[in-house]
Amino acid sequence: MKKYLLLLIFVVNYTCTAQQTIPMAMDYSNYLKNNNYIKDMDNDLDKFVGTWKWTSPTNPNTYFEINFFKVLRWNANNINNYFKDKIFGNYKYVENGVVITNTLTWNTYNDLYSNTFPVIMSNAEKPLFKQLLINMQDIAKNKTCKANFDIIDLNATPLMATWKLISTDQIRIGVNLPHVQQGFSIPTDIVLIKQ
């Protein structure tokens, strides 16, 4: 009888702390624990997936291209105690026919994390899932930055989105740290079209 009681206590305890699947569309802030899975159950992130492109109106040899893809059950190098569906991406910027940066060949999650920080990593903002808040690398300037990616009209064909980079100049304390270059090497305020 004692064995059964201990087994029952173990089972009850386990089920109370077992992983739950939580819809991404709801407020999941209280569920970022217990190996819970914050899942894009309604496929709201799918509208971002694919290639988005801006071409300079004055020079067709200048363009910026982003490729977004969805990673299911992401957990940052297994350091979080939860899993979440996320959008990651890479980009290419060509100015006057000269390639400034091209990470489009980095097409897997491991490639993007090869430098310990993804080229593009974002979270969808609720409730409309029209915006990505992006943390990214400006590869040519060797620095991290933030961007807002906002779909203008979810009913438009093709989809269009604004792209605005945000300065994240940092105070760096330490010996032999690389110098952070001012400005950006990629466009800062443009409208991209989904291809």
Side-chain angles (χ1 to χ4, degrees):
M1 181 70 176
K2 188 175 182 180
K3 288 182 184 179
Y4 291 117
L5 183 59
L6 287 173
L7 180 62
L8 179 64
I9 290 171
F10 174 77
V11 169
V12 168
N13 184 44
Y14 179 77
T15 58
C16 289
T17 60
Q19 178 188 56
Q20 296 179 1
T21 300
I22 310 300
M24 184 175 276
M26 68 178 276
D27 179 10
Y28 53 80
S29 58
N30 291 328
Y31 296 94
L32 301 178
K33 58 187 174 188
N34 298 333
N35 288 320
N36 288 336
Y37 176 24
I38 312 306
K39 182 176 176 57
D40 182 21
M41 291 182 173
D42 298 323
N43 296 315
D44 290 312
L45 296 178
D46 290 356
K47 68 180 71 62
F48 297 104
V49 173
T51 300
W52 297 76
K53 189 173 182 179
W54 166 81
T55 301
S56 169
T58 59
N59 183 350
N61 293 321
T62 296
Y63 63 91
F64 181 62
E65 183 176 332
I66 300 174
N67 181 47
F68 289 129
F69 57 94
K70 184 163 76 170
V71 174
L72 304 177
R73 296 186 58 84
W74 174 80
N75 182 320
N77 297 323
N78 294 316
I79 59 172
N80 290 334
N81 57 358
Y82 64 92
F83 298 88
K84 183 178 179 188
D85 293 345
K86 272 182 123 32
I87 294 290
F88 285 82
N90 44 31
Y91 67 90
K92 179 178 184 178
Y93 179 51
V94 176
E95 189 173 343
N96 296 319
V98 177
V99 176
I100 305 300
T101 303
N102 183 5
T103 65
L104 292 179
T105 58
W106 302 358
N107 55 13
T108 69
Y109 174 77
N110 289 334
D111 290 339
L112 296 175
Y113 252 102
S114 63
N115 295 318
T116 71
F117 191 84
V119 175
I120 294 177
M121 176 181 74
S122 56
N123 289 313
E125 186 168 291
K126 298 179 296 259
L128 298 176
F129 288 94
K130 288 177 53 175
Q131 181 183 58
L132 294 177
L133 305 175
I134 295 173
N135 295 313
M136 64 174 293
Q137 290 183 58
D138 183 338
I139 302 295
K141 293 278 188 167
N142 190 31
K143 69 179 190 176
T144 60
C145 50
K146 295 186 180 294
N148 288 334
F149 184 88
D150 295 298
I151 295 177
I152 297 168
D153 180 357
L154 289 172
N155 298 314
T157 304
L159 287 176
M160 296 174 27
T162 59
W163 166 267
K164 294 185 182 186
L165 280 184
I166 302 165
S167 178
T168 57
D169 294 331
Q170 304 165 342
I171 297 173
R172 300 174 70 134
I173 301 171
V175 179
N176 298 326
L177 292 175
H179 174 71
V180 176
Q181 299 181 44
Q182 298 298 312
F184 300 106
S185 68
I186 55 181
T188 59
D189 192 355
I190 57 175
V191 174
L192 296 112
I193 299 172
K194 190 166 188 184
Q195 305 298 296

